[in-house]
Each structure stands twice: as C-alpha cells, then as structure tokens.
Amino acid sequence: MIEVVCPEPADTQAFAGRLASVLRPGDVVVLAGDLGAGKTLFTGDLAAGLGVDEQVSSPSFVLVRQYLTGFIPVVHVDVYRLGSLNEFDDLDVFELAEEGVLIVEWGDAVESTFPEDHLRIEFVVDRDDETRVLRLVPSGDWVGRDLEVVM
C-alpha cells in the first residue's frame, strides 16, 4: 500500500493528473471512501489528465457516464445505489471500457467482480482540516507498476 497525503484540494488534483499519466486502456480503478471524500472530483481530475475536455459529473442516478473526448476513453460508474452484484453485471461496464479506463466509485461494494489487475484508491478525510489521505492498493499487474513516479 502507498499513501499520498493531500493537504489541499490542489494536491489531490495534481496527484490525479500524475496518476493519469500511467493509465492505459483496459485499466480498472476502484474508488472507495465516505460520502463527500472527493471521489467524483478526483475522477474529474483524472479524466482531465487523460485529455477529457467535458465536465465530469457524478453518475449516481444514471449509474454510468462515458467520456470519449480524451486520449483514452473514460467510463465512470457509481455503484452506490445498486442492490446486487447482478445489477452491476447487467451494466456491462467491462465491455464498455475495453478500450478505455474504467473508474468505479464505491467499487469496494463490487470489487469481487473485478479482474485481478486493478488499482484500489481509498479516500480518508481528516474532518478537522480536510486533509485527504489516498491509499493506493495495487492488485495484479498494478503491483509491478512503478507508482513511485506519480508521487
């Protein structure tokens, strides 16, 4: 596990941009953390780092949003409102994101359905000063990637 401390929102934004530089088609990024921890904002910054010029908004009610304007397509999913793994399977997000990057908010709820190769990012917020700690938990081929370059 790697921890990235982000005392200011600009630090989180900068980290997302650096992480975007190591993403490649087929990657799966799982975002976990409490409501208001910054998962959607992080996704927007990550997408911007991939060249997406559209405003990224929460897919909470539509479940899936696709952004095709970047260097790599981005499929952004929010599974907070899903009631079962079958509902997640019905979204066919792995097929949608074959040529792009799949980012799943609240992904820890359905992580058992993900391929072994994925990166989990846990958001922990200090409610006193709003510092964010991002805990990167690589799995599969992510273990061998040089994530130190994004620190």
Side-chain angles (χ1 to χ4, degrees):
M1 178 174 60
I2 299 167
E3 286 193 349
V4 179
V5 178
C6 300
E8 301 292 330
D11 298 316
T12 307
Q13 181 180 24
F15 173 71
R18 291 190 306 271
L19 182 61
S21 72
V22 300
L23 292 175
R24 52 189 181 223
D27 279 345
V28 176
V29 179
V30 178
L31 306 180
D34 293 337
L35 274 173
K39 295 180 294 292
T40 300
L41 288 173
F42 183 84
T43 300
D45 296 332
L46 197 60
L50 292 170
V52 171
D53 59 12
E54 303 164 64
Q55 170 129 7
V56 171
S57 57
S58 175
S60 289
F61 294 102
V62 296
L63 304 179
V64 178
R65 292 191 189 274
Q66 293 184 59
Y67 302 96
L68 307 174
T69 59
F71 313 118
I72 302 173
V74 174
V75 176
H76 181 198
V77 181
D78 186 324
V79 299
Y80 184 75
R81 299 188 185 288
L82 296 183
S84 71
L85 290 176
N86 288 337
E87 288 180 45
F88 178 72
D89 288 340
D90 288 345
L91 296 176
D92 292 325
V93 294
F94 296 110
E95 291 77 20
L96 286 174
E98 274 181 339
E99 302 299 317
V101 173
L102 175 62
I103 303 170
V104 184
E105 291 191 40
W106 302 97
D108 47 327
V110 293
E111 196 166 5
S112 64
T113 67
F114 295 151
E116 180 184 353
D117 302 330
H118 66 275
L119 177 65
R120 177 183 170 131
I121 303 175
E122 301 169 355
F123 289 69
V124 180
V125 180
D126 182 324
R127 295 299 174 188
D128 292 330
D129 67 5
E130 294 299 309
T131 294
R132 280 170 176 66
V133 176
L134 307 181
R135 294 183 180 139
L136 282 63
V137 183
S139 185
D141 76 352
W142 277 95
V143 173
R145 291 199 200 179
D146 184 11
L147 291 175
E148 294 298 323
V149 302
V150 299
M151 299 304 155

PDB file of all heavy atoms in Angstrom, residues 18-58:
ATOM      1  N   ARG A  18      -1.070  13.256 -12.273  1.00  0.00           N
ATOM      2  CA  ARG A  18       0.124  12.405 -12.395  1.00  0.00           C
ATOM      3  C   ARG A  18      -0.268  10.933 -12.573  1.00  0.00           C
ATOM      4  O   ARG A  18       0.340  10.208 -13.356  1.00  0.00           O
ATOM      5  CB  ARG A  18       1.030  12.585 -11.177  1.00  0.00           C
ATOM      6  CG  ARG A  18       1.689  13.941 -11.105  1.00  0.00           C
ATOM      7  CD  ARG A  18       2.774  14.012 -10.035  1.00  0.00           C
ATOM      8  NE  ARG A  18       2.353  13.608  -8.710  1.00  0.00           N
ATOM      9  CZ  ARG A  18       1.818  14.418  -7.786  1.00  0.00           C
ATOM     10  NH1 ARG A  18       1.605  15.698  -8.059  1.00  0.00           N
ATOM     11  NH2 ARG A  18       1.500  13.950  -6.592  1.00  0.00           N
ATOM     12  N   LEU A  19      -1.301  10.501 -11.847  1.00  0.00           N
ATOM     13  CA  LEU A  19      -1.753   9.121 -11.979  1.00  0.00           C
ATOM     14  C   LEU A  19      -2.272   8.860 -13.393  1.00  0.00           C
ATOM     15  O   LEU A  19      -2.038   7.790 -13.953  1.00  0.00           O
ATOM     16  CB  LEU A  19      -2.844   8.812 -10.946  1.00  0.00           C
ATOM     17  CG  LEU A  19      -3.365   7.379 -10.959  1.00  0.00           C
ATOM     18  CD1 LEU A  19      -2.250   6.376 -10.666  1.00  0.00           C
ATOM     19  CD2 LEU A  19      -4.509   7.221  -9.963  1.00  0.00           C
ATOM     20  N   ALA A  20      -2.933   9.846 -13.977  1.00  0.00           N
ATOM     21  CA  ALA A  20      -3.444   9.690 -15.344  1.00  0.00           C
ATOM     22  C   ALA A  20      -2.319   9.347 -16.310  1.00  0.00           C
ATOM     23  O   ALA A  20      -2.527   8.609 -17.276  1.00  0.00           O
ATOM     24  CB  ALA A  20      -4.153  10.968 -15.782  1.00  0.00           C
ATOM     25  N   SER A  21      -1.125   9.830 -16.032  1.00  0.00           N
ATOM     26  CA  SER A  21      -0.003   9.597 -16.948  1.00  0.00           C
ATOM     27  C   SER A  21       0.430   8.132 -17.017  1.00  0.00           C
ATOM     28  O   SER A  21       1.118   7.750 -17.958  1.00  0.00           O
ATOM     29  CB  SER A  21       1.191  10.478 -16.562  1.00  0.00           C
ATOM     30  OG  SER A  21       1.800  10.015 -15.368  1.00  0.00           O
ATOM     31  N   VAL A  22       0.037   7.320 -16.040  1.00  0.00           N
ATOM     32  CA  VAL A  22       0.424   5.905 -16.072  1.00  0.00           C
ATOM     33  C   VAL A  22      -0.738   4.986 -16.438  1.00  0.00           C
ATOM     34  O   VAL A  22      -0.566   3.773 -16.510  1.00  0.00           O
ATOM     35  CB  VAL A  22       1.064   5.448 -14.731  1.00  0.00           C
ATOM     36  CG1 VAL A  22       2.305   6.251 -14.429  1.00  0.00           C
ATOM     37  CG2 VAL A  22       0.077   5.476 -13.592  1.00  0.00           C
ATOM     38  N   LEU A  23      -1.913   5.562 -16.664  1.00  0.00           N
ATOM     39  CA  LEU A  23      -3.065   4.742 -17.033  1.00  0.00           C
ATOM     40  C   LEU A  23      -2.987   4.330 -18.490  1.00  0.00           C
ATOM     41  O   LEU A  23      -2.466   5.056 -19.331  1.00  0.00           O
ATOM     42  CB  LEU A  23      -4.363   5.505 -16.774  1.00  0.00           C
ATOM     43  CG  LEU A  23      -4.696   5.766 -15.316  1.00  0.00           C
ATOM     44  CD1 LEU A  23      -5.940   6.639 -15.216  1.00  0.00           C
ATOM     45  CD2 LEU A  23      -4.888   4.471 -14.550  1.00  0.00           C
ATOM     46  N   ARG A  24      -3.540   3.158 -18.780  1.00  0.00           N
ATOM     47  CA  ARG A  24      -3.560   2.662 -20.153  1.00  0.00           C
ATOM     48  C   ARG A  24      -4.888   1.952 -20.411  1.00  0.00           C
ATOM     49  O   ARG A  24      -5.597   1.576 -19.467  1.00  0.00           O
ATOM     50  CB  ARG A  24      -2.366   1.754 -20.402  1.00  0.00           C
ATOM     51  CG  ARG A  24      -2.178   0.654 -19.419  1.00  0.00           C
ATOM     52  CD  ARG A  24      -0.833  -0.036 -19.642  1.00  0.00           C
ATOM     53  NE  ARG A  24      -0.659  -1.125 -18.704  1.00  0.00           N
ATOM     54  CZ  ARG A  24       0.462  -1.371 -18.067  1.00  0.00           C
ATOM     55  NH1 ARG A  24       1.519  -0.621 -18.268  1.00  0.00           N
ATOM     56  NH2 ARG A  24       0.550  -2.389 -17.243  1.00  0.00           N
ATOM     57  N   PRO A  25      -5.238   1.771 -21.670  1.00  0.00           N
ATOM     58  CA  PRO A  25      -6.506   1.115 -21.991  1.00  0.00           C
ATOM     59  C   PRO A  25      -6.638  -0.228 -21.272  1.00  0.00           C
ATOM     60  O   PRO A  25      -5.681  -1.003 -21.193  1.00  0.00           O
ATOM     61  CB  PRO A  25      -6.440   0.929 -23.508  1.00  0.00           C
ATOM     62  CG  PRO A  25      -5.552   2.038 -23.973  1.00  0.00           C
ATOM     63  CD  PRO A  25      -4.507   2.175 -22.878  1.00  0.00           C
ATOM     64  N   GLY A  26      -7.827  -0.464 -20.749  1.00  0.00           N
ATOM     65  CA  GLY A  26      -8.101  -1.701 -20.029  1.00  0.00           C
ATOM     66  C   GLY A  26      -7.928  -1.590 -18.528  1.00  0.00           C
ATOM     67  O   GLY A  26      -8.299  -2.506 -17.798  1.00  0.00           O
ATOM     68  N   ASP A  27      -7.389  -0.467 -18.051  1.00  0.00           N
ATOM     69  CA  ASP A  27      -7.179  -0.306 -16.615  1.00  0.00           C
ATOM     70  C   ASP A  27      -8.503  -0.129 -15.866  1.00  0.00           C
ATOM     71  O   ASP A  27      -9.452   0.469 -16.385  1.00  0.00           O
ATOM     72  CB  ASP A  27      -6.277   0.892 -16.313  1.00  0.00           C
ATOM     73  CG  ASP A  27      -4.810   0.565 -16.486  1.00  0.00           C
ATOM     74  OD1 ASP A  27      -4.451  -0.634 -16.564  1.00  0.00           O
ATOM     75  OD2 ASP A  27      -3.998   1.505 -16.538  1.00  0.00           O
ATOM     76  N   VAL A  28      -8.526  -0.663 -14.654  1.00  0.00           N
ATOM     77  CA  VAL A  28      -9.669  -0.533 -13.763  1.00  0.00           C
ATOM     78  C   VAL A  28      -9.177   0.149 -12.487  1.00  0.00           C
ATOM     79  O   VAL A  28      -8.215  -0.304 -11.868  1.00  0.00           O
ATOM     80  CB  VAL A  28     -10.282  -1.910 -13.419  1.00  0.00           C
ATOM     81  CG1 VAL A  28     -11.410  -1.765 -12.409  1.00  0.00           C
ATOM     82  CG2 VAL A  28     -10.759  -2.610 -14.681  1.00  0.00           C
ATOM     83  N   VAL A  29      -9.864   1.247 -12.120  1.00  0.00           N
ATOM     84  CA  VAL A  29      -9.534   1.986 -10.913  1.00  0.00           C
ATOM     85  C   VAL A  29     -10.767   1.984 -10.019  1.00  0.00           C
ATOM     86  O   VAL A  29     -11.849   2.418 -10.435  1.00  0.00           O
ATOM     87  CB  VAL A  29      -9.096   3.437 -11.222  1.00  0.00           C
ATOM     88  CG1 VAL A  29      -8.783   4.194  -9.934  1.00  0.00           C
ATOM     89  CG2 VAL A  29      -7.897   3.445 -12.166  1.00  0.00           C
ATOM     90  N   VAL A  30     -10.602   1.492  -8.807  1.00  0.00           N
ATOM     91  CA  VAL A  30     -11.686   1.366  -7.834  1.00  0.00           C
ATOM     92  C   VAL A  30     -11.515   2.476  -6.799  1.00  0.00           C
ATOM     93  O   VAL A  30     -10.448   2.608  -6.201  1.00  0.00           O
ATOM     94  CB  VAL A  30     -11.609  -0.003  -7.122  1.00  0.00           C
ATOM     95  CG1 VAL A  30     -12.698  -0.131  -6.081  1.00  0.00           C
ATOM     96  CG2 VAL A  30     -11.664  -1.136  -8.126  1.00  0.00           C
ATOM     97  N   LEU A  31     -12.564   3.267  -6.589  1.00  0.00           N
ATOM     98  CA  LEU A  31     -12.509   4.348  -5.611  1.00  0.00           C
ATOM     99  C   LEU A  31     -13.406   4.002  -4.430  1.00  0.00           C
ATOM    100  O   LEU A  31     -14.582   3.663  -4.607  1.00  0.00           O
ATOM    101  CB  LEU A  31     -12.966   5.669  -6.233  1.00  0.00           C
ATOM    102  CG  LEU A  31     -12.240   6.100  -7.510  1.00  0.00           C
ATOM    103  CD1 LEU A  31     -12.795   7.431  -8.001  1.00  0.00           C
ATOM    104  CD2 LEU A  31     -10.738   6.193  -7.287  1.00  0.00           C
ATOM    105  N   ALA A  32     -12.843   4.090  -3.232  1.00  0.00           N
ATOM    106  CA  ALA A  32     -13.583   3.772  -2.015  1.00  0.00           C
ATOM    107  C   ALA A  32     -13.411   4.910  -1.016  1.00  0.00           C
ATOM    108  O   ALA A  32     -12.346   5.518  -0.942  1.00  0.00           O
ATOM    109  CB  ALA A  32     -13.066   2.458  -1.415  1.00  0.00           C
ATOM    110  N   GLY A  33     -14.452   5.178  -0.268  1.00  0.00           N
ATOM    111  CA  GLY A  33     -14.382   6.217   0.745  1.00  0.00           C
ATOM    112  C   GLY A  33     -15.764   6.731   1.081  1.00  0.00           C
ATOM    113  O   GLY A  33     -16.740   6.451   0.392  1.00  0.00           O
ATOM    114  N   ASP A  34     -15.843   7.499   2.145  1.00  0.00           N
ATOM    115  CA  ASP A  34     -17.116   8.017   2.615  1.00  0.00           C
ATOM    116  C   ASP A  34     -17.728   9.018   1.636  1.00  0.00           C
ATOM    117  O   ASP A  34     -17.037   9.543   0.758  1.00  0.00           O
ATOM    118  CB  ASP A  34     -16.937   8.717   3.969  1.00  0.00           C
ATOM    119  CG  ASP A  34     -16.560   7.751   5.083  1.00  0.00           C
ATOM    120  OD1 ASP A  34     -16.845   6.541   4.946  1.00  0.00           O
ATOM    121  OD2 ASP A  34     -15.981   8.206   6.092  1.00  0.00           O
ATOM    122  N   LEU A  35     -19.005   9.299   1.829  1.00  0.00           N
ATOM    123  CA  LEU A  35     -19.669  10.372   1.086  1.00  0.00           C
ATOM    124  C   LEU A  35     -18.899  11.664   1.305  1.00  0.00           C
ATOM    125  O   LEU A  35     -18.480  11.967   2.421  1.00  0.00           O
ATOM    126  CB  LEU A  35     -21.099  10.569   1.589  1.00  0.00           C
ATOM    127  CG  LEU A  35     -22.185   9.697   0.987  1.00  0.00           C
ATOM    128  CD1 LEU A  35     -23.499   9.900   1.731  1.00  0.00           C
ATOM    129  CD2 LEU A  35     -22.365   9.990  -0.482  1.00  0.00           C
ATOM    130  N   GLY A  36     -18.700  12.414   0.237  1.00  0.00           N
ATOM    131  CA  GLY A  36     -18.016  13.695   0.351  1.00  0.00           C
ATOM    132  C   GLY A  36     -16.507  13.605   0.449  1.00  0.00           C
ATOM    133  O   GLY A  36     -15.843  14.602   0.707  1.00  0.00           O
ATOM    134  N   ALA A  37     -15.951  12.433   0.235  1.00  0.00           N
ATOM    135  CA  ALA A  37     -14.496  12.261   0.357  1.00  0.00           C
ATOM    136  C   ALA A  37     -13.746  12.798  -0.855  1.00  0.00           C
ATOM    137  O   ALA A  37     -12.533  12.960  -0.813  1.00  0.00           O
ATOM    138  CB  ALA A  37     -14.161  10.783   0.565  1.00  0.00           C
ATOM    139  N   GLY A  38     -14.450  13.061  -1.957  1.00  0.00           N
ATOM    140  CA  GLY A  38     -13.802  13.628  -3.134  1.00  0.00           C
ATOM    141  C   GLY A  38     -13.631  12.672  -4.295  1.00  0.00           C
ATOM    142  O   GLY A  38     -12.859  12.948  -5.216  1.00  0.00           O
ATOM    143  N   LYS A  39     -14.366  11.568  -4.308  1.00  0.00           N
ATOM    144  CA  LYS A  39     -14.202  10.566  -5.365  1.00  0.00           C
ATOM    145  C   LYS A  39     -14.577  11.111  -6.747  1.00  0.00           C
ATOM    146  O   LYS A  39     -13.855  10.900  -7.720  1.00  0.00           O
ATOM    147  CB  LYS A  39     -15.033   9.315  -5.037  1.00  0.00           C
ATOM    148  CG  LYS A  39     -14.571   8.586  -3.781  1.00  0.00           C
ATOM    149  CD  LYS A  39     -15.404   7.356  -3.474  1.00  0.00           C
ATOM    150  CE  LYS A  39     -16.830   7.658  -3.109  1.00  0.00           C
ATOM    151  NZ  LYS A  39     -17.017   8.355  -1.834  1.00  0.00           N
ATOM    152  N   THR A  40     -15.691  11.841  -6.833  1.00  0.00           N
ATOM    153  CA  THR A  40     -16.111  12.373  -8.128  1.00  0.00           C
ATOM    154  C   THR A  40     -15.171  13.477  -8.599  1.00  0.00           C
ATOM    155  O   THR A  40     -14.808  13.530  -9.783  1.00  0.00           O
ATOM    156  CB  THR A  40     -17.562  12.875  -8.066  1.00  0.00           C
ATOM    157  OG1 THR A  40     -18.416  11.776  -7.711  1.00  0.00           O
ATOM    158  CG2 THR A  40     -18.013  13.442  -9.401  1.00  0.00           C
ATOM    159  N   LEU A  41     -14.760  14.347  -7.698  1.00  0.00           N
ATOM    160  CA  LEU A  41     -13.806  15.395  -8.083  1.00  0.00           C
ATOM    161  C   LEU A  41     -12.495  14.780  -8.557  1.00  0.00           C
ATOM    162  O   LEU A  41     -11.916  15.227  -9.546  1.00  0.00           O
ATOM    163  CB  LEU A  41     -13.551  16.349  -6.909  1.00  0.00           C
ATOM    164  CG  LEU A  41     -14.702  17.288  -6.569  1.00  0.00           C
ATOM    165  CD1 LEU A  41     -14.405  18.053  -5.280  1.00  0.00           C
ATOM    166  CD2 LEU A  41     -14.981  18.242  -7.704  1.00  0.00           C
ATOM    167  N   PHE A  42     -12.036  13.759  -7.853  1.00  0.00           N
ATOM    168  CA  PHE A  42     -10.819  13.056  -8.257  1.00  0.00           C
ATOM    169  C   PHE A  42     -10.980  12.462  -9.656  1.00  0.00           C
ATOM    170  O   PHE A  42     -10.084  12.564 -10.494  1.00  0.00           O
ATOM    171  CB  PHE A  42     -10.499  11.960  -7.234  1.00  0.00           C
ATOM    172  CG  PHE A  42      -9.228  11.228  -7.515  1.00  0.00           C
ATOM    173  CD1 PHE A  42      -8.015  11.736  -7.104  1.00  0.00           C
ATOM    174  CD2 PHE A  42      -9.242  10.017  -8.192  1.00  0.00           C
ATOM    175  CE1 PHE A  42      -6.824  11.058  -7.360  1.00  0.00           C
ATOM    176  CE2 PHE A  42      -8.065   9.333  -8.454  1.00  0.00           C
ATOM    177  CZ  PHE A  42      -6.852   9.859  -8.040  1.00  0.00           C
ATOM    178  N   THR A  43     -12.150  11.872  -9.911  1.00  0.00           N
ATOM    179  CA  THR A  43     -12.406  11.292 -11.233  1.00  0.00           C
ATOM    180  C   THR A  43     -12.336  12.366 -12.306  1.00  0.00           C
ATOM    181  O   THR A  43     -11.774  12.152 -13.385  1.00  0.00           O
ATOM    182  CB  THR A  43     -13.774  10.587 -11.259  1.00  0.00           C
ATOM    183  OG1 THR A  43     -13.769   9.540 -10.283  1.00  0.00           O
ATOM    184  CG2 THR A  43     -14.082  10.006 -12.622  1.00  0.00           C
ATOM    185  N   GLY A  44     -12.888  13.539 -12.016  1.00  0.00           N
ATOM    186  CA  GLY A  44     -12.816  14.643 -12.968  1.00  0.00           C
ATOM    187  C   GLY A  44     -11.385  15.057 -13.254  1.00  0.00           C
ATOM    188  O   GLY A  44     -11.011  15.309 -14.409  1.00  0.00           O
ATOM    189  N   ASP A  45     -10.567  15.122 -12.208  1.00  0.00           N
ATOM    190  CA  ASP A  45      -9.161  15.487 -12.384  1.00  0.00           C
ATOM    191  C   ASP A  45      -8.398  14.394 -13.138  1.00  0.00           C
ATOM    192  O   ASP A  45      -7.536  14.686 -13.973  1.00  0.00           O
ATOM    193  CB  ASP A  45      -8.507  15.753 -11.030  1.00  0.00           C
ATOM    194  CG  ASP A  45      -9.117  16.954 -10.314  1.00  0.00           C
ATOM    195  OD1 ASP A  45      -9.625  17.868 -10.994  1.00  0.00           O
ATOM    196  OD2 ASP A  45      -9.095  16.965  -9.068  1.00  0.00           O
ATOM    197  N   LEU A  46      -8.718  13.143 -12.852  1.00  0.00           N
ATOM    198  CA  LEU A  46      -8.095  12.019 -13.556  1.00  0.00           C
ATOM    199  C   LEU A  46      -8.472  12.055 -15.036  1.00  0.00           C
ATOM    200  O   LEU A  46      -7.616  11.912 -15.915  1.00  0.00           O
ATOM    201  CB  LEU A  46      -8.552  10.716 -12.908  1.00  0.00           C
ATOM    202  CG  LEU A  46      -7.780   9.452 -13.166  1.00  0.00           C
ATOM    203  CD1 LEU A  46      -6.343   9.583 -12.706  1.00  0.00           C
ATOM    204  CD2 LEU A  46      -8.446   8.291 -12.451  1.00  0.00           C
ATOM    205  N   ALA A  47      -9.752  12.290 -15.306  1.00  0.00           N
ATOM    206  CA  ALA A  47     -10.218  12.368 -16.701  1.00  0.00           C
ATOM    207  C   ALA A  47      -9.559  13.544 -17.423  1.00  0.00           C
ATOM    208  O   ALA A  47      -9.158  13.412 -18.586  1.00  0.00           O
ATOM    209  CB  ALA A  47     -11.742  12.486 -16.737  1.00  0.00           C
ATOM    210  N   ALA A  48      -9.433  14.669 -16.745  1.00  0.00           N
ATOM    211  CA  ALA A  48      -8.763  15.830 -17.359  1.00  0.00           C
ATOM    212  C   ALA A  48      -7.320  15.480 -17.705  1.00  0.00           C
ATOM    213  O   ALA A  48      -6.811  15.870 -18.756  1.00  0.00           O
ATOM    214  CB  ALA A  48      -8.818  17.030 -16.421  1.00  0.00           C
ATOM    215  N   GLY A  49      -6.666  14.711 -16.836  1.00  0.00           N
ATOM    216  CA  GLY A  49      -5.302  14.274 -17.111  1.00  0.00           C
ATOM    217  C   GLY A  49      -5.216  13.353 -18.310  1.00  0.00           C
ATOM    218  O   GLY A  49      -4.153  13.209 -18.919  1.00  0.00           O
ATOM    219  N   LEU A  50      -6.336  12.734 -18.653  1.00  0.00           N
ATOM    220  CA  LEU A  50      -6.403  11.860 -19.832  1.00  0.00           C
ATOM    221  C   LEU A  50      -6.900  12.625 -21.063  1.00  0.00           C
ATOM    222  O   LEU A  50      -7.188  12.029 -22.094  1.00  0.00           O
ATOM    223  CB  LEU A  50      -7.317  10.667 -19.557  1.00  0.00           C
ATOM    224  CG  LEU A  50      -6.793   9.667 -18.524  1.00  0.00           C
ATOM    225  CD1 LEU A  50      -7.878   8.657 -18.155  1.00  0.00           C
ATOM    226  CD2 LEU A  50      -5.549   8.962 -19.035  1.00  0.00           C
ATOM    227  N   GLY A  51      -7.031  13.950 -20.926  1.00  0.00           N
ATOM    228  CA  GLY A  51      -7.413  14.779 -22.057  1.00  0.00           C
ATOM    229  C   GLY A  51      -8.903  14.973 -22.245  1.00  0.00           C
ATOM    230  O   GLY A  51      -9.326  15.558 -23.250  1.00  0.00           O
ATOM    231  N   VAL A  52      -9.720  14.498 -21.312  1.00  0.00           N
ATOM    232  CA  VAL A  52     -11.166  14.687 -21.423  1.00  0.00           C
ATOM    233  C   VAL A  52     -11.468  16.163 -21.232  1.00  0.00           C
ATOM    234  O   VAL A  52     -11.047  16.763 -20.247  1.00  0.00           O
ATOM    235  CB  VAL A  52     -11.922  13.832 -20.375  1.00  0.00           C
ATOM    236  CG1 VAL A  52     -13.398  14.191 -20.327  1.00  0.00           C
ATOM    237  CG2 VAL A  52     -11.728  12.347 -20.674  1.00  0.00           C
ATOM    238  N   ASP A  53     -12.186  16.755 -22.194  1.00  0.00           N
ATOM    239  CA  ASP A  53     -12.485  18.185 -22.078  1.00  0.00           C
ATOM    240  C   ASP A  53     -13.922  18.457 -21.644  1.00  0.00           C
ATOM    241  O   ASP A  53     -14.346  19.600 -21.565  1.00  0.00           O
ATOM    242  CB  ASP A  53     -12.161  18.922 -23.381  1.00  0.00           C
ATOM    243  CG  ASP A  53     -12.933  18.392 -24.578  1.00  0.00           C
ATOM    244  OD1 ASP A  53     -13.886  17.611 -24.400  1.00  0.00           O
ATOM    245  OD2 ASP A  53     -12.575  18.774 -25.708  1.00  0.00           O
ATOM    246  N   GLU A  54     -14.654  17.409 -21.345  1.00  0.00           N
ATOM    247  CA  GLU A  54     -16.021  17.554 -20.845  1.00  0.00           C
ATOM    248  C   GLU A  54     -16.004  17.679 -19.323  1.00  0.00           C
ATOM    249  O   GLU A  54     -15.081  17.196 -18.670  1.00  0.00           O
ATOM    250  CB  GLU A  54     -16.849  16.322 -21.202  1.00  0.00           C
ATOM    251  CG  GLU A  54     -16.902  16.003 -22.673  1.00  0.00           C
ATOM    252  CD  GLU A  54     -17.390  14.585 -22.909  1.00  0.00           C
ATOM    253  OE1 GLU A  54     -18.543  14.296 -22.570  1.00  0.00           O
ATOM    254  OE2 GLU A  54     -16.587  13.775 -23.408  1.00  0.00           O
ATOM    255  N   GLN A  55     -17.043  18.314 -18.778  1.00  0.00           N
ATOM    256  CA  GLN A  55     -17.186  18.355 -17.326  1.00  0.00           C
ATOM    257  C   GLN A  55     -17.609  16.975 -16.843  1.00  0.00           C
ATOM    258  O   GLN A  55     -18.569  16.400 -17.347  1.00  0.00           O
ATOM    259  CB  GLN A  55     -18.226  19.393 -16.915  1.00  0.00           C
ATOM    260  CG  GLN A  55     -18.579  19.290 -15.452  1.00  0.00           C
ATOM    261  CD  GLN A  55     -18.491  20.602 -14.744  1.00  0.00           C
ATOM    262  OE1 GLN A  55     -18.284  21.630 -15.353  1.00  0.00           O
ATOM    263  NE2 GLN A  55     -18.639  20.569 -13.449  1.00  0.00           N
ATOM    264  N   VAL A  56     -16.887  16.438 -15.880  1.00  0.00           N
ATOM    265  CA  VAL A  56     -17.223  15.134 -15.303  1.00  0.00           C
ATOM    266  C   VAL A  56     -18.192  15.370 -14.152  1.00  0.00           C
ATOM    267  O   VAL A  56     -17.936  16.181 -13.270  1.00  0.00           O
ATOM    268  CB  VAL A  56     -15.947  14.410 -14.810  1.00  0.00           C
ATOM    269  CG1 VAL A  56     -16.306  13.166 -14.016  1.00  0.00           C
ATOM    270  CG2 VAL A  56     -15.064  14.059 -16.002  1.00  0.00           C
ATOM    271  N   SER A  57     -19.313  14.665 -14.201  1.00  0.00           N
ATOM    272  CA  SER A  57     -20.286  14.786 -13.122  1.00  0.00           C
ATOM    273  C   SER A  57     -20.619  13.405 -12.576  1.00  0.00           C
ATOM    274  O   SER A  57     -20.363  12.386 -13.218  1.00  0.00           O
ATOM    275  CB  SER A  57     -21.544  15.506 -13.605  1.00  0.00           C
ATOM    276  OG  SER A  57     -22.118  14.838 -14.702  1.00  0.00           O
ATOM    277  N   SER A  58     -21.200  13.400 -11.404  1.00  0.00           N
ATOM    278  CA  SER A  58     -21.488  12.144 -10.729  1.00  0.00           C
ATOM    279  C   SER A  58     -22.487  11.307 -11.522  1.00  0.00           C
ATOM    280  O   SER A  58     -23.518  11.807 -11.961  1.00  0.00           O
ATOM    281  CB  SER A  58     -22.052  12.419  -9.338  1.00  0.00           C
ATOM    282  OG  SER A  58     -22.442  11.202  -8.729  1.00  0.00           O
TER     283      SER A  58
END
